[in-house]
Amino acid sequence: METSAAAMDHRAAPSLSAEEKRRIERVARCVARDRDGDLTEKLLLRLLSITRNGRRWGFLAPDHPLHPYYLQQKVSERCRILRPRPAAAADR
């Protein structure tokens, strides 16, 4: 179950290192842009359970403290993709 971005905005995000932030944003962008992002996310969760590399990829699990930040980034990226580009930016 995904939580709305508005509901997540009021939560205080745990402190993130620059590396964690980049990793989460990169995965969220990949999942959001993928045509079948839900399947991609399920595969990543399966890999997480197999590798047990929770320190690096634990944010994919719903019970991880960084999961709300991941969801927020994923929703934000989906919205960015769906938002029409201004005509001036499209001409560049």
Side-chain angles (χ1 to χ4, degrees):
M1 182 175 122
E2 284 191 13
T3 308
S4 72
M8 287 186 285
D9 284 344
H10 67 81
R11 294 182 188 168
S15 61
L16 294 167
S17 70
E19 180 184 338
E20 287 174 316
K21 186 176 179 183
R22 274 193 308 272
R23 186 179 321 114
I24 291 170
E25 289 171 357
R26 194 171 28 221
V27 171
R29 189 173 24 251
C30 176
V31 170
R33 289 181 179 184
D34 191 348
R35 183 183 306 158
D36 197 359
D38 293 335
L39 178 61
T40 302
E41 195 169 55
K42 286 178 186 175
L43 289 171
L44 290 170
L45 278 167
R46 178 71 179 132
L47 286 173
L48 171 64
S49 69
I50 291 170
T51 63
R52 295 186 178 96
N53 194 348
R55 184 170 179 217
R56 188 170 180 92
W57 306 107
F59 65 86
L60 291 164
D63 59 344
H64 193 277
L66 296 177
H67 189 71
Y69 179 73
Y70 163 70
L71 290 178
Q72 181 182 12
Q73 293 303 307
K74 185 173 72 169
V75 169
S76 176
E77 183 65 22
R78 283 185 180 161
C79 290
R80 193 185 69 71
I81 291 168
L82 295 174
R83 200 174 310 130
R85 296 173 73 190
D91 293 338
R92 291 183 193 169

